PDB file of all heavy atoms in Angstrom:
ATOM      1  N   TYR N1576     240.915  11.562  19.087  1.00  0.00           N
ATOM      2  CA  TYR N1576     241.102  12.926  19.573  1.00  0.00           C
ATOM      3  C   TYR N1576     239.834  13.768  19.389  1.00  0.00           C
ATOM      4  O   TYR N1576     239.375  14.451  20.310  1.00  0.00           O
ATOM      5  CB  TYR N1576     242.293  13.605  18.874  1.00  0.00           C
ATOM      6  CG  TYR N1576     242.373  15.040  19.283  1.00  0.00           C
ATOM      7  CD1 TYR N1576     242.763  15.378  20.577  1.00  0.00           C
ATOM      8  CD2 TYR N1576     241.970  16.049  18.417  1.00  0.00           C
ATOM      9  CE1 TYR N1576     242.761  16.683  20.993  1.00  0.00           C
ATOM     10  CE2 TYR N1576     241.971  17.368  18.830  1.00  0.00           C
ATOM     11  CZ  TYR N1576     242.368  17.674  20.114  1.00  0.00           C
ATOM     12  OH  TYR N1576     242.346  18.970  20.529  1.00  0.00           O
ATOM     13  N   ALA N1631     240.503  22.530  17.823  1.00  0.00           N
ATOM     14  CA  ALA N1631     241.955  22.486  17.593  1.00  0.00           C
ATOM     15  C   ALA N1631     242.331  21.413  16.571  1.00  0.00           C
ATOM     16  O   ALA N1631     241.530  20.527  16.255  1.00  0.00           O
ATOM     17  CB  ALA N1631     242.676  22.216  18.915  1.00  0.00           C
ATOM     18  N   LEU N1632     243.519  21.522  16.030  1.00  0.00           N
ATOM     19  CA  LEU N1632     244.184  20.455  15.270  1.00  0.00           C
ATOM     20  C   LEU N1632     243.410  19.954  14.043  1.00  0.00           C
ATOM     21  O   LEU N1632     243.204  18.748  13.863  1.00  0.00           O
ATOM     22  CB  LEU N1632     244.505  19.278  16.216  1.00  0.00           C
ATOM     23  CG  LEU N1632     245.244  19.633  17.520  1.00  0.00           C
ATOM     24  CD1 LEU N1632     245.555  18.374  18.317  1.00  0.00           C
ATOM     25  CD2 LEU N1632     246.517  20.411  17.252  1.00  0.00           C
ATOM     26  N   LEU N1660     244.664  27.090  18.739  1.00  0.00           N
ATOM     27  CA  LEU N1660     245.491  25.919  18.481  1.00  0.00           C
ATOM     28  C   LEU N1660     245.140  25.246  17.167  1.00  0.00           C
ATOM     29  O   LEU N1660     245.019  24.021  17.086  1.00  0.00           O
ATOM     30  CB  LEU N1660     245.400  24.960  19.657  1.00  0.00           C
ATOM     31  CG  LEU N1660     246.138  25.528  20.884  1.00  0.00           C
ATOM     32  CD1 LEU N1660     245.763  24.786  22.147  1.00  0.00           C
ATOM     33  CD2 LEU N1660     247.638  25.513  20.679  1.00  0.00           C
ATOM     34  N   TYR N1683     243.141  31.226  23.712  1.00  0.00           N
ATOM     35  CA  TYR N1683     243.660  30.659  24.952  1.00  0.00           C
ATOM     36  C   TYR N1683     244.654  31.672  25.477  1.00  0.00           C
ATOM     37  O   TYR N1683     245.559  32.100  24.745  1.00  0.00           O
ATOM     38  CB  TYR N1683     244.355  29.324  24.693  1.00  0.00           C
ATOM     39  CG  TYR N1683     243.418  28.145  24.666  1.00  0.00           C
ATOM     40  CD1 TYR N1683     243.347  27.301  23.573  1.00  0.00           C
ATOM     41  CD2 TYR N1683     242.602  27.878  25.767  1.00  0.00           C
ATOM     42  CE1 TYR N1683     242.490  26.213  23.569  1.00  0.00           C
ATOM     43  CE2 TYR N1683     241.746  26.794  25.762  1.00  0.00           C
ATOM     44  CZ  TYR N1683     241.689  25.966  24.669  1.00  0.00           C
ATOM     45  OH  TYR N1683     240.843  24.892  24.665  1.00  0.00           O
ATOM     46  N   LEU N1715     243.478  21.245  30.936  1.00  0.00           N
ATOM     47  CA  LEU N1715     242.772  20.476  29.916  1.00  0.00           C
ATOM     48  C   LEU N1715     242.172  19.215  30.545  1.00  0.00           C
ATOM     49  O   LEU N1715     242.810  18.560  31.368  1.00  0.00           O
ATOM     50  CB  LEU N1715     243.756  20.094  28.812  1.00  0.00           C
ATOM     51  CG  LEU N1715     243.172  20.172  27.406  1.00  0.00           C
ATOM     52  CD1 LEU N1715     242.676  21.568  27.088  1.00  0.00           C
ATOM     53  CD2 LEU N1715     244.200  19.726  26.391  1.00  0.00           C
ATOM     54  N   ARG N1718     240.803  13.060  28.616  1.00  0.00           N
ATOM     55  CA  ARG N1718     239.962  12.362  27.639  1.00  0.00           C
ATOM     56  C   ARG N1718     240.572  10.992  27.411  1.00  0.00           C
ATOM     57  O   ARG N1718     241.600  10.854  26.759  1.00  0.00           O
ATOM     58  CB  ARG N1718     239.888  13.157  26.342  1.00  0.00           C
ATOM     59  CG  ARG N1718     239.250  14.543  26.493  1.00  0.00           C
ATOM     60  CD  ARG N1718     240.280  15.622  26.362  1.00  0.00           C
ATOM     61  NE  ARG N1718     239.771  16.948  26.673  1.00  0.00           N
ATOM     62  CZ  ARG N1718     240.057  18.015  25.942  1.00  0.00           C
ATOM     63  NH1 ARG N1718     240.786  17.921  24.869  1.00  0.00           N
ATOM     64  NH2 ARG N1718     239.589  19.175  26.315  1.00  0.00           N
ATOM     65  N   ALA N1746     247.640  17.012  23.049  1.00  0.00           N
ATOM     66  CA  ALA N1746     246.820  18.176  23.397  1.00  0.00           C
ATOM     67  C   ALA N1746     247.298  18.817  24.693  1.00  0.00           C
ATOM     68  O   ALA N1746     247.490  20.021  24.780  1.00  0.00           O
ATOM     69  CB  ALA N1746     245.357  17.779  23.506  1.00  0.00           C
ATOM     70  N   ARG N1747     247.532  17.958  25.706  1.00  0.00           N
ATOM     71  CA  ARG N1747     247.962  18.521  26.984  1.00  0.00           C
ATOM     72  C   ARG N1747     249.343  19.137  26.861  1.00  0.00           C
ATOM     73  O   ARG N1747     249.637  20.155  27.478  1.00  0.00           O
ATOM     74  CB  ARG N1747     247.953  17.452  28.056  1.00  0.00           C
ATOM     75  CG  ARG N1747     246.570  17.275  28.642  1.00  0.00           C
ATOM     76  CD  ARG N1747     246.651  16.500  29.912  1.00  0.00           C
ATOM     77  NE  ARG N1747     245.431  16.678  30.689  1.00  0.00           N
ATOM     78  CZ  ARG N1747     245.291  16.225  31.911  1.00  0.00           C
ATOM     79  NH1 ARG N1747     246.261  15.576  32.487  1.00  0.00           N
ATOM     80  NH2 ARG N1747     244.165  16.415  32.548  1.00  0.00           N
ATOM     81  N   ILE N1749     250.765  20.565  24.215  1.00  0.00           N
ATOM     82  CA  ILE N1749     250.803  21.859  23.533  1.00  0.00           C
ATOM     83  C   ILE N1749     249.936  22.911  24.217  1.00  0.00           C
ATOM     84  O   ILE N1749     249.923  24.062  23.822  1.00  0.00           O
ATOM     85  CB  ILE N1749     250.426  21.761  22.033  1.00  0.00           C
ATOM     86  CG1 ILE N1749     248.979  21.329  21.852  1.00  0.00           C
ATOM     87  CG2 ILE N1749     251.375  20.869  21.279  1.00  0.00           C
ATOM     88  CD1 ILE N1749     248.533  21.389  20.402  1.00  0.00           C
ATOM     89  N   SER N1750     249.228  22.490  25.275  1.00  0.00           N
ATOM     90  CA  SER N1750     248.385  23.478  25.947  1.00  0.00           C
ATOM     91  C   SER N1750     249.028  23.984  27.233  1.00  0.00           C
ATOM     92  O   SER N1750     248.401  24.696  27.996  1.00  0.00           O
ATOM     93  CB  SER N1750     247.012  22.884  26.252  1.00  0.00           C
ATOM     94  OG  SER N1750     247.159  21.782  27.113  1.00  0.00           O
ATOM     95  N   ILE N1753     248.767  27.649  28.562  1.00  0.00           N
ATOM     96  CA  ILE N1753     247.511  28.297  28.990  1.00  0.00           C
ATOM     97  C   ILE N1753     247.603  28.701  30.463  1.00  0.00           C
ATOM     98  O   ILE N1753     248.050  27.920  31.297  1.00  0.00           O
ATOM     99  CB  ILE N1753     246.304  27.364  28.766  1.00  0.00           C
ATOM    100  CG1 ILE N1753     246.173  27.025  27.283  1.00  0.00           C
ATOM    101  CG2 ILE N1753     245.015  27.992  29.281  1.00  0.00           C
ATOM    102  CD1 ILE N1753     245.140  25.943  26.982  1.00  0.00           C
ATOM    103  N   HIS N1800     232.559  23.122  26.465  1.00  0.00           N
ATOM    104  CA  HIS N1800     233.710  22.697  25.669  1.00  0.00           C
ATOM    105  C   HIS N1800     233.451  21.308  25.054  1.00  0.00           C
ATOM    106  O   HIS N1800     234.318  20.439  25.038  1.00  0.00           O
ATOM    107  CB  HIS N1800     234.935  22.649  26.597  1.00  0.00           C
ATOM    108  CG  HIS N1800     236.254  22.915  25.940  1.00  0.00           C
ATOM    109  ND1 HIS N1800     237.058  23.965  26.275  1.00  0.00           N
ATOM    110  CD2 HIS N1800     236.931  22.248  24.981  1.00  0.00           C
ATOM    111  CE1 HIS N1800     238.171  23.924  25.561  1.00  0.00           C
ATOM    112  NE2 HIS N1800     238.119  22.892  24.758  1.00  0.00           N
ATOM    113  N   ARG N1803     234.322  18.191  26.983  1.00  0.00           N
ATOM    114  CA  ARG N1803     235.721  17.758  27.044  1.00  0.00           C
ATOM    115  C   ARG N1803     236.440  18.263  28.290  1.00  0.00           C
ATOM    116  O   ARG N1803     237.604  17.964  28.499  1.00  0.00           O
ATOM    117  CB  ARG N1803     236.465  18.246  25.788  1.00  0.00           C
ATOM    118  CG  ARG N1803     235.965  17.582  24.534  1.00  0.00           C
ATOM    119  CD  ARG N1803     236.358  18.342  23.289  1.00  0.00           C
ATOM    120  NE  ARG N1803     237.736  18.204  22.892  1.00  0.00           N
ATOM    121  CZ  ARG N1803     238.227  17.189  22.187  1.00  0.00           C
ATOM    122  NH1 ARG N1803     237.452  16.198  21.831  1.00  0.00           N
ATOM    123  NH2 ARG N1803     239.498  17.154  21.839  1.00  0.00           N
TER     124      ARG N1803
HETATM  125  O1  173 T 447     239.263  20.598  23.471  1.00  0.00           O
HETATM  126  C1  173 T 447     240.429  20.572  23.098  1.00  0.00           C
HETATM  127  O2  173 T 447     240.943  19.531  22.692  1.00  0.00           O
HETATM  128  C2  173 T 447     241.205  21.789  23.195  1.00  0.00           C
HETATM  129  O3  173 T 447     240.637  22.800  23.398  1.00  0.00           O
HETATM  130  C3  173 T 447     242.656  21.778  23.058  1.00  0.00           C
HETATM  131  C4  173 T 447     243.407  22.520  23.944  1.00  0.00           C
HETATM  132  C5  173 T 447     244.773  22.488  23.854  1.00  0.00           C
HETATM  133  C6  173 T 447     245.413  21.725  22.892  1.00  0.00           C
HETATM  134  C7  173 T 447     244.666  21.016  22.002  1.00  0.00           C
HETATM  135  C8  173 T 447     243.289  21.036  22.089  1.00  0.00           C
END
Side-chain angles (χ1 to χ4, degrees):
Y1576 174 71
L1632 309 183
L1660 289 165
Y1683 275 124
L1715 219 59
R1718 298 109 188 223
R1747 277 195 162 187
I1749 65 173
S1750 61
I1753 299 171
H1800 209 118
R1803 294 162 76 83

